[in-house]
Amino acid sequence: MFRRLAGAKARAEVVIDVDGERVVAREGDTLAAAMLVAGCVPFRASERSGAPRAPLCMIGACFECRVEVDGAGSRRACQVVVVPGMRVRRSRAARPGA
Amino acid sequence: MSERTAGETDVVVVGAGPAGMAAATRAASLGLRVRVVDEQQSPGGQVHRGVTRGDEGVGPRFGDEHLRGRELVRALHASTATVEPGATVFDVDPELGVAVLRDGIAHEIRARHLIVATGAIERAVPFPGWTLPGVMNAGAAQVLLETSACVPSGRVVLAGCGPLLLLVASQLADAGANVVAVVETTGAIDHARALPGLPRALATPATFARGLAWLRALRRHGVERIGGIRSLAAEGAGRVERVLVGVGDRAREIAVDTLLVHAGVVPNPQLARLMRLEHRWDERALAWRPRVDAFGRSSDPRVSVAGDGAGIGGARAAETDGAIAAIDAAHALGAIDARVRARLCAPLLRERRRHLAVRPWLDALYRPPGWLVDPPDAAIVCRCEDVTAGEIRSVARLGVRGPNQAKAYTRCGMGPCQGRVCGTVVTTILARAAGVAPAAVGYYRIRPPLVPVPLAALARMPGGGNRRDERTGGAM
Amino acid sequence: MGGKGTDAIVVGGGLLGAAIAWGLARHGRSVRLLDEGDDALRAARGNFGLVWVQGKGAGCPPYARWTLRSAAAWPAFARTLAEETGIDVELRQPGGLKFALDEREWRERAATLEALRFALDGDYPFEMLDAAAMRTRCPPVGPAVAGASYCPLDGHVNPLRLLRALVTGLIGRGGTVEPESRVTSIAVRGGVFEVGTVRGRCAAPVLVLAAGLGNRELARRVGLRAPVGPNRGQILVTERLAPFLDLPTEFVRQTGEGNVQIGDSMEDVGYDDRTTRDQMARIAERAVRVFPRLAGVDVVRAWGALRVMTPDGLPIYEASSERPGAFVATCHSGVTLAAAHAGELADWIAGGERPADTGAFVAARLRAPAPGGA
Ligand SMILES: Cc1cc2nc3c(=O)[nH]c(=O)nc-3n(C[C@H](O)[C@H](O)[C@H](O)COP(=O)(O)OP(=O)(O)OC[C@H]3O[C@@H](n4cnc5c(N)ncnc54)[C@H](O)[C@@H]3O)c2cc1C
Ligand SMILES: Cc1cc2nc3c(=O)[nH]c(=O)nc-3n(C[C@H](O)[C@H](O)[C@H](O)COP(=O)(O)OP(=O)(O)OC[C@H]3O[C@@H](n4cnc5c(N)ncnc54)[C@H](O)[C@@H]3O)c2cc1C
């Protein structure tokens, strides 16, 4: 979906786990940015229709980038900064009753 | 910056964009105890996002605006204001207890005065297919460019209207993205409508120079521009593959990998609505805005609204707004008298007028057309609950006159975004369906929590566990 | 507002008004339902959605019988609504649990329900479940709960769909729904009620006041009394979860959409329908105590809404003797009783017999000491 610019100053790599896949992000990336660059799309499925969804706004307003982060609820991936070893699960239609 | 524990403070500023930063710095300089809360990881807001994270050079930076942002952040950190990043305000009670969620834990700060500086959000413009992955707001691409130095891969089309559309198009093209077209709703009628505002707008030539530079950049990169479009739709299997635009009476199909849409920004309504501040419908801007006086004081005298959250004026106007609100707050709290307030505010009020001079022209020129703000039946309006414009219109036929009954019947606005995205659209659809003004239709009642809060965090909030003896009823 | 040939005017577009109006329309009456606007106080939009029998009418057997009849009428009522409107109101009646946090509460509950069964000549199904039996019925319950009572007649619905279905059904039968038509005056001329609203006037020989808290003011104008007052309830709703709770409990239920609804407070705070953090915290704390697995689950919405309460919690259904043709109806369990309101109560207003067991539900009782709670 997105690609990094060639000339940009490289930041340290941060390795995270998205649905069991190794994803290499850069320090300071929001989780949503890391997932978009790695092509982890869609982020979720509409709970009602099952249709695929991905981020719309990137400023925390639309809630389309909700994913499970380290076992915790549905987090807005655009508001979470990656840390090494972060485990991310993209949504199923709904999470099991905790 | 000094660390103070949460508790009582003179002023809580919500939002650390230009308005919030200027407000906090100024209020602190007037001797007030100030706490700034922002859900981003560092101050800056939408325009100066992450300017001090030490990652300059990550994304391309844009001239003097960026420098201005760094100055604001530096001044904020040099002040006595306490900055709380990564912290989202999810409730404010009538006693001005501000409830904050940070790292999954809730705490409360009691304010004597509140400055709401929560900025703007991009206007939602539902059209068929806008929920497909690969369709994003133009501002979203800008965020990604600035914070992670990345651009959409493949063919990019931008569609809609407004200066930010052109700005982002030129930024992406300059950065090397394959921007194939900019598709604008803006056409001859809009230029004619905007004409009367032109002389005043020309008083700020810098704005024009910037705009012309963006257009030159687009030409240089060979970006096709299509104006005056009459319809917009996206199609694709599982993600966007084509954009369909109506030009004159023809339909044009453009293959895309990413479609970026934008139709201006509107005040972020959540906090002001939660607090039940009075609002008015601004027909020029096609948006709600909280009712404020010249100092930004809202219908609740203990609450000010500053910056784009009070009405769209841009970053520089937001900054002056913030300073004015802070001075006024100092007056409200008894730190300065009315004379001092008048003296301190006078130059700022003049400056703000200058910054706002261009707005009438911009608003008229980039007014989104009716078909975009009152979308066709098939378009999903509430993305959280998959409610279409057609469903909203069908409950209008059941006697629904406003968004709250529409919400009860269709679930629109009930999802986690709490109507941030669909609110203005639902008001517009219902108003046009009934043939009345949006002001007569009203807006969603916004309730806490403004963002999802874990049940355990709510349970552990101050006042939570210690009043168990009171009756909690069984629902019947 | 034209109003030629209107048989009945129903004032109030909450669950009582909508149920009665639809019921009258099913009798072939032409009905106009007058309601207020979008931001009105409307308990029908803020309730918890239980069709609840357990414990209702302790100290007042007629209320228990009335509730039992409505719960029994619910399946057919829901089916008819679905047939007429295509709207599934998500009725489930798998029985419901009411928890007891300690031994003493459990024993008191057992005694109350025993007494109720005795008063109803044994015709009152319930079971007292000890901790082990309760966990068999409902595995997610945490260790802090001592036991529960279970009543197989309890259930729940989607109350918003219910309201929409009733209104859709009414319109489908030729009735009209008129929002932003707050009633401001009522006059009687030649046996016909002339009702003035903020938008105009209309007239009909039958007038049903089902205006919730508005009844307090309106009833007086036709020689009736409805001394109702507000009582606030706050409710929390979580994100959608996969099904984990297959029966409703008195204050936690999982909806057909997967969200978990958590109720609710009982507060005498006048006409203030806001939420407060101390109540939200208390409601959250209790939910986590009973269902520990909910601790990490996100609350996505909360609200406060005002119950329509009589001093003794019992309904008022009354025909005016001073102004024949005028009725008042109010209760605080408009979901549970919706089937009875659309059925037996509407039958009565349409000219039939007064429903059995409802004879005591007149305002006169409130002059005397209250005959027990709800
Ligand atoms: C996506 C986007 C991109 C934009 N790009 C540009 C641009 O390139 N150039 C330009 O001139 N203008 C741009 N604008 C317009 C710009 O937002 C304003 O002109 C300017 O930033 C307004 O400043 P402000 O201080 O009013 O609000 P903002 O800068 O928007 O700051 C508001 C802050 O409040 C915080 N906030 C909101 N709600 C809460 C809450 N409940 N709890 C805690 N914190 C909260 C937000 O995180 C944000 O940091 C953009 C707007 C958007 C939405
Ligand atoms: C928190 C809470 C939880 C609840 N839980 C349950 C439950 O689980 N099960 C259950 O059975 N019940 C429950 N209830 C009760 C149930 O919601 C009500 O009994 C039901 O809504 C019926 O109320 P009503 O129609 O009398 O009043 P309302 O729903 O309040 O409707 C009254 C209507 O009359 C209109 N009105 C008022 N004055 C005028 C006027 N002058 N002219 C025209 N229109 C007027 C109002 O606008 C409103 O639309 C709960 C209530 C609350 C508040």
Side-chain angles (χ1 to χ4, degrees):
Chain A
M1 288 270 312
F2 277 72
R3 61 180 169 83
R4 290 200 200 267
L5 294 175
K9 185 171 95 185
R11 289 168 295 164
E13 291 188 353
V14 175
V15 178
I16 62 170
D17 176 304
V18 180
D19 290 330
E21 306 267 320
R22 197 180 118 95
V23 165
V24 180
R26 294 300 172 117
E27 195 167 49
D29 276 352
T30 61
L31 176 55
M35 289 174 66
L36 286 168
V37 170
C40 304
V41 173
F43 279 45
R44 43 181 294 273
S46 154
E47 289 97 337
R48 290 211 122 188
S49 65
R53 294 291 176 81
L56 173 73
C57 79
M58 292 298 291
I59 62 168
C62 74
F63 287 71
E64 288 283 25
C65 63
R66 292 177 343 256
V67 289
E68 185 182 308
V69 179
D70 293 330
S74 47
R75 295 285 162 264
R76 290 171 291 170
C78 74
Q79 300 291 306
V80 174
V81 175
V82 292
V83 294
M86 180 178 267
R87 299 177 77 84
V88 180
R89 290 172 75 183
R90 290 191 272 166
S91 86
R92 292 129 283 158
R95 302 198 302 122
Chain B
M1 180 174 90
S2 69
E3 241 333 300
R4 278 199 196 87
T5 47
E8 217 229 22
T9 192
D10 294 326
V11 178
V12 168
V13 179
V14 188
M21 292 191 287
T25 306
R26 182 62 74 110
S29 79
L30 292 168
L32 301 176
R33 294 171 303 155
V34 182
R35 204 172 176 92
V36 195
V37 184
D38 195 299
E39 64 181 339
Q40 293 194 51
Q41 299 305 322
S42 53
Q46 301 308 347
V47 263
H48 309 308
R49 174 175 289 276
V51 281
T52 54
R53 267 211 328 250
D55 55 2
E56 305 90 88
V58 168
R61 289 298 180 186
F62 309 105
D64 52 337
E65 282 304 312
H66 175 54
L67 294 178
R68 184 71 200 153
R70 301 197 45 172
E71 273 167 40
L72 288 171
V73 176
R74 206 173 300 128
L76 175 65
H77 284 314
S79 78
T80 59
T82 305
V83 183
E84 208 181 313
T88 307
V89 171
F90 67 90
D91 188 23
V92 178
D93 60 46
E95 283 78 46
L96 295 196
V98 180
V100 179
L101 183 70
R102 186 180 183 182
D103 297 328
I105 296 170
H107 67 270
E108 182 180 307
I109 316 164
R110 195 158 292 273
R112 294 172 64 210
H113 195 92
L114 186 72
I115 298 179
V116 176
T118 49
I121 54 178
E122 285 181 274
R123 176 193 297 283
V125 280
F127 53 85
W130 77 308
T131 55
L132 286 169
V135 180
M136 296 177 97
N137 288 343
Q142 190 190 42
V143 169
L144 286 159
L145 180 63
E146 287 177 354
T147 59
S148 288
C150 57
V151 294
S153 34
R155 293 165 59 86
V156 184
V157 167
L158 291 98
C161 55
L164 195 65
L165 186 77
L166 301 171
L167 168 62
V168 174
S170 70
Q171 287 174 336
L172 290 175
D174 283 343
N178 179 20
V179 179
V180 295
V182 175
V183 179
E184 290 175 85
T185 62
T186 314
I189 324 162
D190 302 291
H191 284 280
R193 187 193 316 113
L195 206 56
L198 195 55
R200 245 185 95 205
L202 283 169
T204 46
T207 312
F208 280 84
R210 266 205 299 279
L212 289 173
W214 305 335
L215 297 179
R216 265 200 309 279
L218 293 178
R219 250 197 317 279
R220 197 169 58 244
H221 292 290
V223 176
E224 184 184 5
R225 288 183 63 204
I226 304 171
I229 65 160
R230 303 231 179 120
S231 67
L232 180 64
E235 288 180 357
R239 49 164 306 148
V240 64
E241 291 165 354
R242 297 175 291 287
V243 50
L244 309 174
V245 295
V247 191
D249 7 299
R250 284 180 315 122
R252 248 191 83 175
E253 185 179 314
I254 309 171
V256 292
D257 296 291
T258 301
L259 172 61
L260 300 175
V261 292
H262 178 79
V265 297
V266 298
N268 176 354
Q270 298 308 105
L271 196 48
R273 285 286 180 180
L274 173 85
M275 300 186 68
R276 302 189 178 182
L277 302 181
E278 277 176 30
H279 281 68
R280 68 183 178 85
W281 176 261
D282 180 346
E283 185 56 32
R284 201 185 76 197
L286 294 176
W288 292 104
R289 56 199 291 182
R291 213 178 269 287
V292 293
D293 68 12
F295 300 106
R297 204 85 76 87
S298 73
S299 56
D300 179 337
R302 304 160 309 157
V303 181
S304 309
V305 189
D308 273 6
I312 305 307
R316 291 300 178 114
E319 199 185 312
T320 49
D321 260 15
I324 292 166
I327 294 164
D328 181 51
H331 172 59
L333 295 176
I336 57 173
D337 64 28
R339 267 204 351 270
V340 175
R341 176 179 69 172
R343 181 165 52 74
L344 293 177
C345 284
L348 293 164
L349 289 166
R350 270 197 304 278
E351 191 184 328
R352 181 170 60 183
R353 262 198 304 283
R354 214 171 47 243
H355 293 312
L356 293 180
V358 70
R359 291 315 309 183
W361 178 71
L362 283 178
D363 286 343
L365 181 60
Y366 294 123
R367 185 183 174 86
W371 59 264
L372 204 54
V373 295
D374 187 24
D377 280 355
I380 287 175
V381 167
C382 167
R383 299 172 63 116
C384 295
E385 297 287 336
D386 284 288
V387 182
T388 63
E391 279 174 80
I392 306 287
R393 292 192 184 100
S394 81
V395 296
R397 293 190 282 275
L398 293 182
V400 169
R401 287 291 176 274
N404 295 297
Q405 198 74 6
K407 178 176 173 177
Y409 283 171
T410 69
R411 299 182 64 84
C412 65
M414 269 193 200
C417 103
Q418 293 256 22
R420 282 169 178 78
V421 173
C422 67
T424 304
V425 185
V426 170
T427 293
T428 305
I429 292 174
L430 288 171
R432 294 190 181 209
V436 301
V441 163
Y443 195 75
Y444 290 135
R445 284 194 128 182
I446 301 301
R447 301 280 202 169
L450 291 182
V451 295
V453 176
L455 204 56
L458 271 188
R460 280 195 292 268
M461 253 178 355
N466 53 16
R467 282 160 101 200
R468 264 173 230 163
D469 46 332
E470 248 176 66
R471 185 154 169 226
T472 302
M476 294 197 277
Chain C
M1 287 170 36
K4 278 266 148 51
T6 302
D7 297 321
I9 293 169
V10 178
V11 183
L15 277 175
L16 255 92
I20 294 168
W22 178 70
L24 290 174
R26 283 170 55 79
H27 279 278
R29 302 292 192 276
S30 79
V31 182
R32 298 175 69 157
L33 181 62
L34 308 183
D35 198 12
E36 292 179 303
D38 191 57
D39 54 0
L41 296 170
R42 195 167 293 134
R45 281 195 307 217
N47 68 67
F48 196 66
L50 292 179
V51 174
W52 202 252
V53 171
Q54 189 173 162
K56 296 271 183 75
C60 181
Y63 187 57
R65 280 192 290 270
W66 179 233
T67 301
L68 281 162
R69 282 216 306 288
S70 191
W74 248 103
F77 172 55
R79 225 171 16 249
T80 309
L81 278 174
E83 282 161 16
E84 281 199 14
T85 67
I87 297 171
D88 170 12
V89 298
E90 296 173 357
L91 174 70
R92 308 277 180 278
Q93 290 176 296
L97 288 178
K98 180 169 174 167
F99 300 113
L101 289 177
D102 55 43
E103 197 60 28
R104 207 191 68 182
E105 193 183 344
W106 193 89
R107 269 186 273 109
E108 283 172 5
R109 178 90 43 75
T112 308
L113 294 176
E114 228 19 281
L116 199 48
R117 174 181 282 169
F118 180 77
L120 297 174
D121 302 327
D123 196 11
Y124 194 76
F126 74 90
E127 284 170 55
M128 291 305 298
L129 307 179
D130 62 15
M134 171 186 69
R135 272 183 202 97
T136 309
R137 271 223 114 297
C138 188
V141 178
V145 184
S149 47
Y150 169 79
C151 172
L153 305 176
D154 292 331
H156 55 154
V157 296
N158 180 328
L160 300 176
R161 287 197 182 195
L162 172 60
L163 186 64
R164 183 174 172 179
L166 288 167
V167 164
T168 304
L170 172 65
I171 291 172
R173 288 181 169 274
T176 60
V177 178
E178 298 169 35
E180 290 171 345
S181 300
R182 188 167 56 82
V183 171
T184 51
S185 71
I186 300 171
V188 196
R189 232 158 291 193
V192 170
F193 295 95
E194 292 183 356
V195 174
T197 78
V198 289
R199 285 151 74 96
R201 19 186 80 259
C202 55
V206 170
L207 174 67
V208 182
L209 301 178
L213 292 166
N215 271 351
R216 190 182 180 91
E217 175 56 32
L218 293 174
R220 278 206 278 269
R221 304 177 186 217
V222 289
L224 289 165
R225 269 190 345 122
V228 288
N231 178 275
R232 183 170 70 190
Q234 299 186 35
I235 292 176
L236 309 179
V237 177
T238 73
E239 61 183 311
R240 286 189 170 88
L241 303 177
F244 80 102
L245 186 60
D246 58 7
L247 80 182
T249 76
E250 197 207 18
F251 61 87
V252 178
R253 71 182 190 97
Q254 189 168 24
T255 68
E257 312 273 352
N259 312 78
V260 180
Q261 282 202 10
I262 306 170
D264 59 359
S265 57
M266 303 266 283
E267 308 163 74
D268 285 315
V269 289
Y271 286 83
D272 177 358
D273 72 350
R274 281 177 214 252
T275 55
T276 60
R277 282 201 302 286
D278 59 342
Q279 288 294 340
M280 292 200 300
R282 224 150 47 75
I283 291 165
E285 196 269 340
R286 187 174 66 163
V288 172
R289 198 146 36 108
V290 173
F291 294 109
R293 62 170 55 199
L294 291 178
V297 165
D298 280 336
V299 172
V300 294
R301 272 182 294 135
W303 66 81
L306 301 182
R307 296 185 187 81
V308 182
M309 292 297 271
T310 52
D312 62 1
L314 295 171
I316 295 174
Y317 308 122
E318 202 161 348
S320 174
S321 46
E322 196 177 297
R323 301 275 182 236
F327 297 79
V328 66
T330 191
C331 78
H332 87 285
S333 290
V335 181
T336 306
L337 296 174
H341 293 154
E344 292 184 51
L345 197 72
D347 295 347
W348 172 48
I349 293 168
E353 289 291 302
R354 186 179 177 99
D357 300 308
T358 64
F361 301 150
V362 294
R365 74 169 187 271
L366 296 168
R367 295 202 176 95

